[in-house]
Amino acid sequence: MANVETSLKEAMTAIEGSLGAALVDYTSGMALGTVGGGKDLDLNVAAAGNTDVVRAKVRTMEMLGLKDEIEDILITLGGQYHLIRLLRGRGSNGLFLYLALDKTRANLAMARHQLRRIEAELEI
């Protein structure tokens, strides 16, 4: 099992094209850990903004009466992918992994696969 810091660092090194990663509490909108980012990618702002995305999707699913779980949410920009993976498992309710990727260098299918593996090894 890996801790938050180790898991986020692994996301940056194991996933080609990673620009930044964060573990976010979507009940508060606060990042519990970040790695990467920079002047063009403020991970704390991204954490808060993507919290609104997750809350909106959860609320919409409730209104539709869907009894399913969100695996991940993909936002595609001109030059980036933003991947939000809601965590499942004991002690991780209300948390998501956020990963920003350079679209020209990233393999989206592999990024999703690696993020799922990192989630499985993450210990909260």
Side-chain angles (χ1 to χ4, degrees):
M1 288 293 185
N3 66 22
V4 172
E5 182 180 353
T6 302
S7 295
L8 293 177
K9 285 180 180 176
E10 184 175 354
M12 289 297 292
T13 58
I15 301 174
E16 182 71 27
S18 294
L19 301 172
L23 177 65
V24 183
D25 175 355
Y26 70 82
T27 58
S28 69
M30 300 295 295
L32 305 177
T34 63
V35 64
K39 65 178 179 70
D40 295 330
L41 179 61
D42 184 327
L43 291 171
N44 290 308
V45 171
N50 285 307
T51 292
D52 292 337
V53 171
V54 171
R55 288 178 184 163
K57 188 59 189 172
V58 168
R59 198 170 41 250
T60 301
M61 288 179 63
E62 288 171 357
M63 290 187 306
L64 292 171
L66 298 175
K67 303 296 183 205
D68 212 340
E69 293 182 349
I70 300 169
E71 286 184 15
D72 53 35
I73 299 169
L74 171 65
I75 300 168
T76 305
L77 305 177
Q80 296 177 354
Y81 294 123
H82 291 229
L83 191 56
I84 300 166
R85 178 152 186 93
L86 276 69
L87 301 187
R88 298 288 171 238
R90 192 171 52 96
S92 63
N93 194 28
L95 301 178
F96 66 87
L97 284 168
Y98 167 72
L99 181 65
L101 299 160
D102 179 331
K103 198 172 178 181
T104 62
R105 296 185 305 131
N107 177 322
L108 187 55
M110 285 303 295
R112 290 183 69 219
H113 175 74
Q114 292 286 6
L115 204 55
R116 188 176 315 117
R117 182 188 54 75
I118 290 168
E119 174 197 3
E121 295 173 1
L122 176 62
E123 185 174 295
I124 306 295

